[in-house]
Amino acid sequence: MNTKLTIMIPVYMEAENIRATIDTVISALNKTRIDDYELLIIDCLRPNGSDDGTPAIAEQLAKENTKIRHIHNNSCVNLGYKYRQGIKEARGEYFMMVPGDNETEEQAVINVLEKLGQADIIIPYTSNPQVRSLSRRITAKVYLFICNIISGLGLKYYNGINLHKTEALRKLPLKIDNLAYSADIIIRSLKSGLAKSYIQVPMPLRPQPDRKTNSFKGNNVVDAAFSLLGLFWDIRIRGWYKIQK
């Protein structure tokens, strides 16, 4: 396959996981026989300006493999910000994100890559939610319910390793930095007609019982709630589906 693919790998304090994540992604690319690709590792620092060695490891990985590029943020930035950076820097026709925490199983990446070119968006859904804590599963269900109320799409998941057409992403008014950024992208893409088709595929996750996430805590939840409220206003109240130019 000669299609150019960009896979963005955002990392935040992932010194123990970043190399394993890269190995997983490259193995999946090899098994699906995709050899025209680039990997963008995008990192950032803690709020106090420190790091755990992740930037140095990312830089070393880029030196070891010419298909890897490293983008460093000299401050603490959220995932949505990194995603926009990735879109701006991408050289591929298609764009995909795989978190650098080594939670995503190789088979999940393969499931997405096997569908490349078959729809405008490939949307994975967690096929083994039991590997996550009960509280996180409940929060995820509530979040999914709200997103489906807004979109009317009835999707199984919004925050996975979705695959999009890069040029379509560049036409979207991307502004959200918090965890709602992915739902905003999917909903606006499909409701505006910028993306006309999608396929959902299973996404198995690797159990990480001792790992904690800050995604559903404090200000992150508040910020996401306001973002979803704005999306609800645009889609359900204003009926505003068109992409602003």
Side-chain angles (χ1 to χ4, degrees):
M1 181 178 293
N2 295 319
T3 302
K4 182 75 174 182
L5 170 67
T6 296
I7 299 182
M8 183 194 87
I9 301 173
V11 287
Y12 176 70
M13 304 303 117
E14 296 291 358
E16 296 181 355
N17 296 309
I18 181 173
R19 189 173 286 275
T21 300
I22 293 295
D23 290 343
T24 294
V25 171
I26 291 178
S27 178
L29 286 162
N30 289 337
K31 290 181 179 179
T32 49
R33 297 183 180 180
I34 297 175
D35 56 13
D36 192 6
Y37 66 86
E38 64 171 352
L39 306 183
L40 295 182
I41 303 175
I42 304 182
D43 67 27
C44 69
L45 303 178
R46 295 188 180 101
N48 65 7
S50 66
D51 68 76
D52 67 343
T54 297
I57 297 173
E59 188 65 24
Q60 180 59 36
L61 286 165
K63 291 179 180 178
E64 294 172 5
N65 189 333
T66 57
K67 290 182 177 290
I68 298 175
R69 286 195 285 148
H70 172 219
I71 299 172
H72 174 66
N73 285 291
N74 200 32
S75 62
C76 185
V77 297
N78 289 329
L79 182 56
Y81 183 92
K82 293 176 183 174
Y83 197 89
R84 293 199 303 275
Q85 275 188 307
I87 295 170
K88 183 179 179 180
E89 292 286 340
R91 297 169 181 167
E93 178 183 356
Y94 291 90
F95 186 87
M96 179 180 176
M97 186 276 291
V98 177
D101 58 6
N102 198 33
E103 183 183 36
T104 307
E105 292 276 12
E106 179 183 305
Q107 188 58 50
V109 182
I110 291 173
N111 290 348
V112 174
L113 296 180
E114 286 180 337
K115 300 297 183 181
L116 190 150
Q118 296 184 27
D120 292 333
I121 310 177
I122 311 301
I123 306 175
Y125 60 90
T126 305
S127 56
N128 58 338
Q130 67 276 6
V131 303
R132 288 177 167 169
S133 67
L134 178 60
S135 61
R136 188 170 179 184
R137 295 202 305 270
I138 292 173
T139 304
K141 283 184 176 293
V142 172
Y143 179 79
L144 176 63
F145 176 77
I146 293 172
C147 289
N148 277 329
I149 287 294
I150 295 172
S151 69
L153 294 171
L155 298 181
K156 298 178 181 180
Y157 204 65
Y158 285 85
N159 283 7
I161 53 174
N162 309 306
L163 189 150
H164 299 263
K165 291 183 176 179
T166 307
E167 284 306 311
L169 289 173
R170 288 174 176 160
K171 293 178 181 178
L172 289 170
L174 304 181
K175 299 178 181 179
I176 296 176
D177 287 351
N178 58 62
L179 62 89
Y181 84 92
S182 183
D184 184 79
I185 288 172
I186 291 174
I187 293 171
R188 290 190 188 277
S189 294
L190 292 171
K191 287 296 184 179
S192 68
L194 197 57
K196 300 183 183 302
S197 61
Y198 65 88
I199 297 174
Q200 298 187 82
V201 298
M203 177 181 68
L205 298 177
R206 185 174 290 109
Q208 294 181 312
D210 297 326
R211 184 178 179 85
K212 295 182 180 180
T213 178
N214 293 318
S215 298
F216 296 104
K217 293 182 180 180
N219 291 337
N220 289 334
V221 173
V222 174
D223 290 345
F226 275 107
S227 295
L228 291 176
L229 184 62
L231 186 59
F232 177 83
W233 178 262
D234 279 348
I235 301 299
R236 287 297 186 180
I237 305 301
R238 294 177 63 195
W240 183 79
Y241 300 152
K242 294 183 180 179
I243 301 301
Q244 295 293 316
K245 296 183 180 179

